[in-house]
Amino acid sequence: MSAIFPKWTNRLPLMLIVGGGLVATAVVGGTWYYATPKYTRVGYMPIQPVAFSHTIHAGQLGLDCRYCHSDVEKSWFSNIPSASTCMNCHNQVLKDDPRLELVRESAATGKPIPWVQIHKTPDYVYFNHSVHVNRGVSCVECHGRIDQMDEVMHAKPFSMSFCLDCHRDPAAKLRPLDKITDLGWTPNADPKVAAEKQRTDGQKLLHDWKVESLQNCSACHR
Amino acid sequence: MKTIPAASADQSTGRHYWRSLDQLAETPEFREYLHREFPEGASELTDPVTRRHFVKIMSASFALAGVGLGATGCRKPEEKVMPFGKATGEYVHGVPQYFATAMPTRVGAVPLIAKSNDGRPTKLEGNPLFPGGNGATDRFTQAAILNLYDPDRATTFHKAGAAVSRETALGALAELAKKFAATQGEGLALLGERKISPSRHRLHKLVSEKLPKAKWYLYEAIDSNIHTAAATQGFGKSVSPLFRFDAAKAILSLDCDFIGGEDDAHNSIRGFSSGRNAEKGMNRLYAVESLFTLTGVNADHRLRTAASSVINVAAAIAKELGVNIGSVSTAGVDAKWVTECAKDLKARGKEALVVAGLRQPLAVHLLAHAINAALGNVGTTVELREDNISRSIGGIADLAASLNKGEVDTLVLVGVNPVYDAPSDLNWAATQKKAKGGVVRLGYYAQDETGAVSDWHFPFAHFLESWGDALTTDGTYVPVQPLIAPLFGAITDLEFLARLGGLDVVDSLAIVRETFATLSKGGEAAWNRFLHDGFLPGSAAKPVSASLDSSALSRALAEVKAPATASASNLEVVLHRDYSLDDGRYANNGWLQEFPDPVTKITWDNVILVSRKTARDLNVKNGDIVTVTANGQSVDGAIWTQPGMADFSLGIALGYGRQKVGRVGQGVGFNAYPLRTTTSGFISTGATIKPTGKTHVIACTQDHWSMEGRPIVREANLDQYQKNHEFVETMDAAVPPVEQSLYPNPLEEAKKGALHQWGMAIDLSSCVGCGTCILACQSENNIPIVGKDQVKRGRELHWIRIDRYFSSKNRKFGLETYKPEEAQQFEEWIDDVQAVNQPMLCQHCESAPCESVCPVNATVHDHEGLNVMAYNRCVGTRYCSNNCPYKVRRFNYLDFNKRPLSALKGPLYPTPLLNRTKGEWDLLRWWKNPESGMREDDEWDLIKMVKNPDVTVRMRGVMEKCTYCTQRIEGAKIAQKVKAKDSGDVRVPDGTFTTACAQACPAGAIVFGDISDPNSRVSKLKANHRNYSVLEFLLTKPRTTYLARLRNPNPAMPDFTEAPWSSQEFDLKNHHGSHDASHDSHDHATDAKKGAQH
């Protein structure tokens, strides 16, 4: 019989395997990098209807997080305050500033300001703020340095592994209850000492407070 | 699965693409959009130097630097989070609020605590503060919340079928009021339902004073008032009886289904179950009945007799106790049964109680009271209270007569539905038209039978959106407090009557406050306390003493006729109140339609119940449609053979066959009301049956009636238990001893770090099988209904079910050939049966067979012993359900939440690929709005409000099961930790919370708690001798265990047997001897028992 297939087909299987392998690696690698929450969520910084700067309010002025997000200690939901909270100061400070027009309108008419939601867990996750805030987990662990953000940005990936990293080792993140909203707090100025102190202090809190730090599915997925 | 919400319509922030920074900053389009977004500040913001602009530039540069980074729209659809418009003060979003209220019933009210999420009620519980109560409810209360969100309820005011505005309708009402004020009410007739409400009573008086010539009538399709009427006649003063089942040690029920079919069942069950305590002296229940009711299921001795012959049995017992029964015959009554029963009652004296059912004629009630008086128990088990609320005013027959005479100008109907349920001889639909001025109706459904033919229709407010008040059966004053403003502008009956009477005060709240002021002098503080607690302390009516008036009895007995012998051509029809639909008012409530009847386990239908012998003589079988003719009327219905029923008796439930009620109830079952006339009462004789040759498909959730000798439900007689406390162990199967497990159970390790270990104990001696737990679970856990077709396929979704088994003393076990379920109806053993109930829910096995077979690890075990279900991980393999020996896992074969209600009764759900709903292709509609199911908007918008926000709503393809109310467990743990803050006091104390089923159970049969705490209630129950696990030989080590049932039969009775019949079946099947302590010939591995009892 004469040669049915041309000679280059001898190398075809090898090329297919190598090529397929490269494509598969690219797809897996690409998905791993681009399609996971670490890439898709971190850095999300939508533009809000009102130019509220946390740097000024929480950073420079030193307002406690709970002044506005007042229900965070009582409920699973951390509330966005209504415009009347803003008007507590802004009925005197920057009274007629055009940037606050929407706020004044909201306080007067009761029409809520449509803030763009940044931090949201999927519907099948039941996260509870009050139990974290009351038990030694600071706002900064999940929300980052909000007091340094002009426009709030999604600082952490909020993937399940992100939650589990802390739940598997809470001693690395626990801090005294009066330091929860002190976002820049470290146990010690010197970073090496701080790491060591966090470990020992955190261990102590974990033990004294009987922190459960649940890892079973029913803790978050009901 | 996450639903990606539709992109927000507001495009003004975020999602923009720019080709260059200049384009972003300076284009006219940019300025344009600024103008649209911020009309006031637009000019300022186009100033390129503002910070805002700078930030936009910066983020735009980030956008160019990396794909998808920044505010460009590729990445995430924008969602808004809205704050409150005005500061709310104390209200915290995410934390439910609780308010005390009450559900009015025809005999009183059920005191409640209603849970409110986001300003709408989502769950009803009993009020634990209520004196004498246990914080439990009944079936109808648990399901009542769904009625509030019924998409078929009246949403507008109607005039002659067309919607009108509220102002127009109220204006017309004012006109009517003016018209009748002028004539002092001449020609005005009002027909209302029975409501035990001081405010309503006060309004009745006020309006009657203003309109003295108006005529008031009262009609209840299933009227419990016979109890009051009998007591009033029997004791010579206006009293109503309250039966203290908790004080009774021997109870004789004369066709009185106080556990199921009578009103106020939650109190009766509580009283009865509290007396079923082996340690404190058990009570004994004798039942005389024709149908096999829940009371018969729980009876220690049952005499099955035709309902029309109950009078003879009652007379025989009365005669034994020295009551003069006149000429009433006692022939044909089982003499020994009667004698021994009477002896037992006499021995108990004032701790005995005789009750007659609302079905029975007045004579039986008077006999019962005579017996009670003879036993001397008036004041202990029978308490009489003065009745000054229920008015003895005319009934519907009087009204019909008045209408026919042309005396009525305007007929006002308050909350009644007589076109559907009035006695058939009144021919109400035509009679109603004789009101010259028209019919004005206040009703919950605008398009029901009566609403559709009324001239004016006013929407009646649900009790959860009304201000009102009521008296419970013991006379305690309770508020009806609204949880939400009327959803559709509906009005209450108080407001309606006040407006009709032209009174000054028409606001319901003001009316109730005025009534309160007459009952309490405490002012504002007392009013607030009243609303907070949910009752007025000390307002319970004091029992009064009275003596029997025997002349009333002799008069009634003189009219008793001897019943003809029942036979296949002279059947008796027993119409009864349905366990789910009441008198038909809940026909559009999907939960109740799908609720399996506690005895027959039939859903979505009513049937004609017959005994085996009757079916054989009539040559009919299950599902055959026959025509029943009684009292000159005929109805068609399907036959169902009921074990334990009296011969030649037909049991037919009322409340079905409604042709006009709404999407859910339309056309379900068949209407038995035509068989009732004004004089026939509930029991008619002389009925005949004719087969039609057609058949009907009946959806029954439990087809198999027998335990087949397996020790699933274990029971013993009280004296057997007292002789051998460990009798449950003798029923354990032989299990090879477990030396050492090959694979260590990870739970053993995880337990060490856990704060609690959850477990549950269900006392089968207390459980009466009422099914309140099923509805409580459905309400708490967002369980959808599946429809009749799916129930027929065994796909009902109830997480907890009540298994009901019949057992007989005549069973033979041997090498039988397999018999299909349909053959059961012809077996002779079903003639005389005992029945047992067992609530079956996820057992949360420590060694769960379901966990090890899940290919995606969606079901795992947590460190506190719960078998946990992660819905988002489940792919729907159904291997777990396959492996579950208790079959408690339920699968969502279809997206039941998105199925339209009108499709629920149809055949299998059509594929969305080729289906059109209302002319539009489903796929196209889904494309336009992914959120839409096949449901119409009004259906979905309302029904989703009943969902509990703490529980996931499951989608198609996901397995679900009882979670021990994990949302309540987490909620309690979180609350405890929040309270503890920086202390270690994180253990939840026993009794802080409990599961929905345990909270709702009126008998207190279900107990849930921390088994690692030896002082918790559940630990103490599990340590009880009667504790056992079901299928313990499988070594699943379930956390849900049961306490064996005890019966307390009287050894002198003729139907006494040494052991309950299911135990006898067990002994027969397993060739055992007796259950005494000397029994030791089997190697019952104690390891199995140890493993089962944690």
Side-chain angles (χ1 to χ4, degrees), chain B residues 497-560:
Chain B
L497 286 173
R499 284 181 187 273
L500 187 62
L503 301 180
D504 298 321
V505 180
V506 295
D507 176 48
S508 312
L509 172 57
I511 294 171
V512 175
R513 288 207 71 159
E514 279 183 4
T515 313
F516 181 76
T518 66
L519 291 167
S520 160
K521 302 286 169 275
E524 192 69 25
W527 168 253
N528 285 331
R529 180 110 286 231
F530 174 59
L531 289 184
H532 174 271
D533 290 349
F535 65 96
L536 183 62
S539 58
K542 305 262 180 309
V544 297
S545 62
S547 46
L548 191 73
D549 172 12
S550 20
S551 60
L553 175 62
S554 350
R555 271 198 307 273
L557 290 178
E559 292 174 23
V560 171

Side-chain angles (χ1 to χ4, degrees), chain B residues 792-803:
Chain B
K792 187 85 186 76
R793 288 161 209 271
R795 295 176 178 178
E796 69 274 7
L797 275 184
H798 297 123
W799 289 5
I800 181 170
R801 63 172 193 266
I802 307 234
D803 288 336

Side-chain angles (χ1 to χ4, degrees), chain A residues 40-42 44 47-49 51 75-77 82 110 115 117 120 126 134-135 209 212 214 216 218 222, chain B residues 13 38 51-52 75 79-81 83-85 93-94 860 862-863 868 951-952 973 977 981-983 986:
Chain A
T40 57
R41 287 185 198 157
V42 175
Y44 176 55
I47 302 194
Q48 301 288 345
S75 164
W76 65 268
F77 178 70
S82 61
W115 301 100
Q117 187 164 16
K120 187 172 199 275
Y126 290 84
N134 280 299
R135 298 281 282 168
W209 296 355
E212 241 190 329
L214 300 168
N216 59 71
S218 60
R222 293 183 223 142
Chain B
T13 55
F38 298 122
R51 182 191 66 81
R52 193 99 188 92
R75 186 193 190 129
E79 293 177 58
K80 298 278 190 262
V81 53
F84 281 111
H93 174 64
V860 292
D862 82 0
H863 61 314
V868 163
V951 178
T952 309
K973 284 170 64 177
K977 286 173 186 169
K981 284 205 198 311
D982 52 358
S983 76
V986 290

Side-chain angles (χ1 to χ4, degrees), chain B residues 656-804:
Chain B
Y656 285 85
R658 294 187 65 170
Q659 294 306 319
K660 288 205 181 80
V661 64
R663 280 162 264 220
V664 175
Q666 211 132 303
V668 173
F670 66 98
N671 188 359
Y673 276 109
L675 294 178
R676 211 161 68 133
T677 64
T678 42
T679 46
S680 68
F682 291 96
I683 302 165
S684 320
T685 49
T688 53
I689 269 192
K690 206 171 60 188
T692 59
K694 296 195 276 233
T695 55
H696 184 70
V697 171
I698 293 173
C700 176
T701 58
Q702 186 174 2
D703 290 329
H704 203 85
W705 290 342
S706 165
M707 278 193 284
E708 304 297 346
R710 296 181 199 138
I712 303 172
V713 174
R714 302 185 190 181
E715 48 173 352
N717 284 343
L718 180 62
D719 49 291
Q720 281 181 306
Y721 171 66
Q722 280 161 346
K723 282 201 212 101
N724 175 18
H725 281 293
E726 312 300 332
F727 79 92
V728 278
E729 279 183 27
T730 62
M731 294 172 101
D732 280 344
V735 177
V738 177
E739 298 292 345
Q740 194 183 0
S741 180
L742 189 64
Y743 181 71
N745 193 334
L747 180 63
E748 300 299 322
E749 195 53 45
K751 260 200 254 194
K752 295 183 186 151
L755 292 167
H756 325 84
Q757 291 298 319
W758 303 111
M760 183 184 274
I762 301 181
D763 188 351
L764 296 176
S765 263
S766 300
C767 172
V768 296
C770 66
T772 306
C773 50
I774 298 177
L775 288 162
C777 177
Q778 188 152 31
S779 176
E780 171 79 16
N781 292 297
N782 302 336
I783 300 175
I785 53 173
V786 304
K788 181 171 168 182
D789 179 73
Q790 295 293 300
V791 172
K792 187 85 186 76
R793 288 161 209 271
R795 295 176 178 178
E796 69 274 7
L797 275 184
H798 297 123
W799 289 5
I800 181 170
R801 63 172 193 266
I802 307 234
D803 288 336
R804 173 271 301 121

